[in-house]
Amino acid sequence: MKLLSSVQSFGGLQNQYEHVSATLNCTMQFSVFLPPQASDGHKVPVAYWLSGLTCTDQNFATKAGAQRVAAELGVAIVMPDTSPRGKGVPDDADKAYDFGLGAGFYVDATQTPWNAHYRMYSYIVEELPALLEANLPVSNKRAVFGHSMGGHGALTIALNNPGRYVSVSAFSPIVSPSQCPWGQKALGLYLGEDQAAWQRHDTVALIRAGAPQMPMLVDQGLADNFLAAQLKTELLEKALEETGYPAEIRYHPGYDHSYYFIATFIEDHLRFHARHLQ
């Protein structure tokens, strides 16, 4: 790990690092907020934030306004990038925003040429936590949350790894990529056309298949212009009702897909996770 920058915020430190990832076969950057409770080497619990399409590790750090509450609660926040990057990492041929660089979709690609680098699932679940827990004052008590594509990543990663995360939450998640254009494009190219391989990366499918219950919170803005075509929150709501899964879905009139929405409700999410982390 190489420290790229460090600034003080609410008594803690907002840091950016880079490292060579064996999983992604490239150099990756990520950001970490360490609350003041970690200043004496005391290990603090950690919430992993997964960002959406086109984002890097910096969007949440600079726009969400999460540091004040995280400092109060004594929770570290880890902000990975959304895809592998660098020389030799392939991108969408048309430079589309919804696939390739900035759009790793938190899966392990099986199709060429993507499978040489696009293994964001294993990076988030295995490599990055192991690196951080060995080098920073963070514990193995983990929560995971995210936005849009990152909300999809948070939900599916949590449901596929019972016991690894104590809680999960999402803003405006893609709840069923198997049933929306963003997801069908990404899963088809990363995983192939056999849709059976897509199901473990589809929150609705995982819930219906009997995924273990865990604390779950989802916030969705009703003025979100992606709601009807891409996010389809009603599919998750129906699956939860059918299976008796005790998650909380909250709808917010007037709120859109932006970081203004995230900043408005980020404190709720951090306090939700802190209750389970501590």
Side-chain angles (χ1 to χ4, degrees):
M1 287 172 54
K2 178 182 177 181
L3 180 65
L4 300 179
S5 66
S6 181
V7 294
Q8 191 163 345
S9 178
F10 295 99
L13 293 173
Q14 180 67 49
N15 295 344
Q16 187 183 42
Y17 301 89
E18 73 174 15
H19 76 116
V20 177
S21 168
T23 300
L24 303 178
N25 193 24
C26 65
T27 298
M28 291 293 287
Q29 294 184 353
F30 61 90
S31 294
V32 180
F33 175 71
L34 291 171
Q37 294 85 343
S39 61
D40 61 356
H42 172 72
K43 290 197 172 187
V44 296
V46 58
Y48 287 82
W49 170 265
L50 306 185
S51 289
L53 290 167
T54 76
C55 289
T56 69
D57 62 303
Q58 290 290 289
N59 296 75
F60 182 85
T62 59
K63 295 181 179 180
Q67 289 88 348
R68 175 185 62 82
V69 181
E72 174 195 332
L73 298 172
V75 174
I77 306 176
V78 173
M79 296 147 265
D81 204 343
T82 52
S83 78
R85 298 183 194 265
K87 185 177 180 180
V89 176
D91 192 11
D92 184 80
D94 298 321
K95 305 296 182 183
Y97 75 94
D98 58 354
F99 186 76
L101 297 183
F105 264 83
Y106 304 100
V107 302
D108 285 351
T110 59
Q111 306 300 299
T112 56
W114 317 106
N115 56 352
H117 297 280
Y118 285 80
R119 296 176 49 81
M120 288 299 294
Y121 179 93
S122 291
Y123 178 70
I124 298 298
V125 174
E126 298 170 4
E127 184 180 22
L128 187 58
L131 179 72
L132 298 179
E133 290 162 20
N135 290 280
L136 293 178
V138 298
S139 74
N140 61 3
K141 295 188 72 173
R142 313 176 193 94
V144 61
F145 60 151
H147 170 235
S148 193
M149 178 187 71
H152 140 76
L155 291 169
T156 54
I157 283 173
L159 293 173
N160 276 305
N161 293 276
R164 189 167 181 82
Y165 304 93
V166 301
S167 54
V168 61
S169 71
F171 293 85
S172 316
I174 303 169
V175 303
S176 186
S178 301
Q179 302 183 69
C180 76
W182 279 344
Q184 290 164 349
K185 176 181 179 179
L187 298 185
L189 291 171
Y190 287 138
L191 303 179
E193 293 305 316
D194 181 4
Q195 295 195 17
W198 301 5
Q199 300 309 296
R200 70 186 297 257
H201 299 290
D202 186 302
T203 300
V204 170
L206 289 167
I207 294 289
R208 286 188 169 142
Q213 295 182 2
M214 65 184 303
M216 180 186 295
L217 171 65
V218 174
D219 276 330
Q220 176 61 58
L222 290 176
D224 190 323
N225 59 325
F226 299 116
L227 176 56
Q230 304 285 5
L231 309 180
K232 302 191 175 187
T233 313
E234 74 280 358
L235 297 179
L236 175 59
E237 191 170 24
K238 184 177 180 181
L240 295 171
E241 292 173 354
E242 290 174 352
T243 59
Y245 199 109
E248 182 178 8
I249 297 181
R250 308 189 305 184
Y251 292 99
H252 302 277
Y255 284 94
D256 63 7
H257 200 71
S258 72
Y259 264 85
Y260 295 109
F261 174 48
I262 295 170
T264 301
F265 297 103
I266 191 63
E267 181 167 352
D268 290 357
H269 285 243
L270 288 170
R271 294 192 184 279
F272 166 77
H273 291 301
R275 289 197 299 272
H276 301 287
L277 286 167
Q278 298 172 347

